[in-house]
Amino acid sequence: MDKIRIRGGRPLKGTIPIGGAKNAALPLMAASLLTDETLTLVNIPHLADISTLANLLATLGVEIALDGHAPNGGHAGRALALSAKNITSTTAAYDLVRKMRASILVLGPLVAREGQARVSLPGGCAIGARPVDLHLKGLEQLGAKIELKEGYVEAAAPGGLVGARIVFPFISVGATENLMMAATLAKGRTVLVNAAREPEVGDLARCLVAMGATITGIDTDTLTIEGGAKLHAARHTILPDRIELGTYVMATAATGGDVELVGGRLDLIQAAADILGQAGVSFAPTERGFRVSRTNAALTGVDVMTEPYPGFPTDLQAQMMALLASAEGASMVTETIFENRFMHVPELRRMGANINLHGGSAMVRGVPNLTGAQVMATDLRASVSLVIAGLAARGETTVARVYHLDRGYERLEEKLSACGADIERLKEGA
Ligand code: EPZ
């Protein structure tokens, strides 16, 4: 398996282009199942997770074509055209679903359009049990009959789905997306209360509106969907990836660098930017995005708690911890979204970090310098936090299991080395 080798201690300086959001692209691709016309998604990132979902959609009969080029080394012009003219299967098989939990997002659109769907139940994963009960309960409220058989969710609504008022007991990004998509084809009005407000949910809603759906309350916690209209072709530009953006912000801050993030929108990571500002990181808008820098003193420890949007995102928690590991003073990092999202802690400790776990919180006592080590992680964001730690550390770090990084970071080594990082991918056997 490939590894990444980093020789740390070089400040990042230069420009990094930000791609389209993975976690917007995935539900948007699933939305193509709602219409027999072509949905074109512009600014599609080139990532393993996107290929995984494309492969799954292809098994359902969706025709997929990739077009367009990358201006200035970015990929803003790249477009994915998805045409679900003929859905040839309503079964999402275990072999594909087990690779990526977001595959469950085909369930709502399939049952809404075809009146039936059979989707493998995703298993647990490295960051927690991650059940899908809210997705299933919501579909039942829309009139689907749900059964669990041989590891599969079987959903049936032969007469079509019917709108309902669904109150989520807690916030779920995926359940909001799945049910919003299903509701566009359900008869009558659906109201989703306590809906997720993540920018990716808003992006999906805007695309559904472009496809002919009627949705109000976009970007709020109450979404009202007037269902039943036939959806049609649309062309939608995917919003920038706020987690990729936040990751490069933290890498820049950790190395004491100065980088312009092209295509980056500070408003998408406001909660993180506010906390980073308290820690000593500076931001300045530019014509193409914004600049982040930390050129003066060491960072100061700060307390962070993950929350649903607009709070501090769980998907930036590991990266933030890597940064705080060498800040001055203590920081308390509290994870409230997933029960097991601290796999990076033992690996950061191997690099000299002083971190103690107390339930859902980590007490990080900053050390003057991290030191390079051989490390690995079992999920995407934990892996990239080790890359950040390696960039800031003295000496050499190798990060194993690079396939996790390829799920969510496009051309990571290229983007970092263009800013002066000493980073390279070692091919298997090297
Ligand atoms: C999305 O996952 C993201 N994935 C995750 O990003 C992100 O960490 C997460 O939202 C939270 O922001 C995609 O968008 C593809 P949830 P999702 O449903 O939708 C529990 C990354 O690194 N829950 O909001 O699966 C769940 O276990 C990934 O890019 C239930 O109990 O997250 C969790 O504790 C990782 N029952 C909490 O809710 C349900 O039916 C929030 O999960 C659904 C969720």
Side-chain angles (χ1 to χ4, degrees):
M1 270 181 267
D2 293 359
K3 291 181 179 158
I4 295 245
R5 181 174 64 200
I6 302 159
R7 296 192 180 97
R10 292 162 162 240
L12 294 180
K13 291 210 157 77
T15 299
I16 297 181
I18 300 303
K22 167 182 82 85
N23 288 347
L26 295 170
L28 286 165
M29 289 168 70
S32 68
L33 291 165
L34 295 166
T35 172
D36 59 5
E37 297 184 15
T38 302
L39 175 64
T40 305
L41 301 174
V42 182
N43 199 22
I44 190 95
H46 183 59
L47 298 168
D49 276 8
I50 300 296
S51 311
T52 302
L53 187 57
N55 290 339
L56 170 58
L57 291 172
T59 66
L60 307 177
V62 181
E63 287 177 19
I64 302 176
L66 187 61
D67 194 11
H69 289 294
N72 311 322
H75 289 274
R78 192 167 41 201
L80 192 68
L82 303 112
S83 169
K85 192 170 179 15
N86 299 307
I87 293 180
T88 52
S89 161
T90 52
T91 297
Y94 173 69
D95 265 358
L96 286 162
V97 175
R98 74 182 168 82
K99 289 190 182 161
M100 190 181 60
R101 302 180 49 82
S103 308
I104 193 74
L105 292 168
V106 303
L107 180 64
L110 273 181
V111 71
R113 170 137 170 233
E114 296 293 297
Q116 58 173 41
R118 194 168 164 264
V119 176
S120 172
L121 199 58
C125 81
I127 62 178
R130 302 183 75 184
V132 291
D133 53 319
L134 299 187
H135 303 235
L136 305 187
K137 274 186 203 136
L139 284 174
E140 278 179 337
Q141 284 175 272
L142 294 178
K145 196 166 163 286
I146 305 274
E147 280 187 290
L148 298 181
K149 269 195 205 154
E150 294 159 1
Y152 280 75
V153 179
E154 295 192 358
L161 297 175
V162 182
R165 180 180 163 85
I166 297 171
V167 182
F168 294 110
F170 53 88
I171 293 173
S172 162
V173 175
T176 304
E177 293 167 341
N178 225 341
L179 297 172
M180 177 168 59
M181 288 189 280
T184 61
L185 299 188
K187 275 185 223 106
R189 174 180 297 178
T190 296
V191 184
L192 301 178
V193 181
N194 200 21
R197 284 186 284 161
E198 268 62 8
E200 295 75 23
V201 176
D203 205 42
L204 173 65
R206 287 185 184 86
C207 177
L208 293 170
V209 169
M211 292 166 75
T214 304
I215 304 177
T216 53
I218 296 175
D219 295 330
T220 76
D221 63 3
T222 306
L223 293 165
T224 303
I225 302 116
E226 304 293 345
K230 188 173 181 315
L231 301 190
H232 52 68
R235 186 176 175 87
H236 176 82
T237 300
I238 301 169
L239 90 171
D241 194 316
R242 66 194 165 98
I243 307 301
E244 185 191 30
L245 179 64
T247 300
Y248 289 122
V249 162
M250 290 180 198
T252 305
T255 60
D258 185 341
V259 168
E260 183 186 16
L261 295 154
V262 175
R265 274 174 44 193
L266 202 50
D267 63 297
L268 292 175
I269 54 160
Q270 199 58 56
D274 289 346
I275 292 178
L276 288 165
Q278 289 166 29
V281 181
S282 306
F283 298 91
T286 65
E287 270 180 22
R288 302 185 298 174
F290 66 89
R291 259 180 67 191
V292 55
S293 59
R294 197 267 291 177
T295 42
N296 307 326
L299 291 166
T300 314
V302 284
D303 292 346
V304 185
M305 184 160 82
T306 64
E307 288 173 313
Y309 192 85
F312 188 97
T314 173
D315 291 345
L316 287 176
Q317 179 258 108
Q319 301 89 314
M320 187 74 183
M321 203 184 298
L323 174 70
L324 294 172
S326 53
E328 264 175 17
S331 306
M332 177 80 94
V333 179
T334 304
E335 171 62 53
T336 71
I337 309 290
F338 292 109
E339 64 272 24
N340 185 26
R341 211 172 194 184
F342 284 133
M343 292 88 62
H344 42 289
V345 169
E347 299 299 299
L348 289 172
R349 276 199 202 119
R350 300 184 60 249
M351 299 179 71
N354 180 349
I355 306 175
N356 286 304
L357 286 177
H358 307 273
S361 293
M363 173 59 82
V364 185
R365 294 187 173 85
V367 296
N369 282 293
L370 296 176
T371 46
Q374 290 179 318
V375 287
M376 65 174 183
T378 42
D379 101 302
L380 167 60
R381 310 302 173 187
S383 297
V384 86
S385 81
L386 301 176
V387 171
I388 293 177
L391 291 170
R394 287 191 177 153
E396 187 172 298
T397 296
T398 48
V399 182
R401 301 195 177 171
V402 171
Y403 58 88
H404 287 298
L405 293 168
D406 294 334
R407 292 186 60 174
Y409 292 93
E410 180 167 349
R411 300 181 298 122
L412 176 84
E413 317 90 272
E414 213 181 292
K415 290 185 183 187
L416 288 169
S417 40
C419 289
D422 185 343
I423 178 168
E424 64 178 328
R425 185 178 288 240
L426 305 176
K427 290 283 169 201
E428 190 171 10

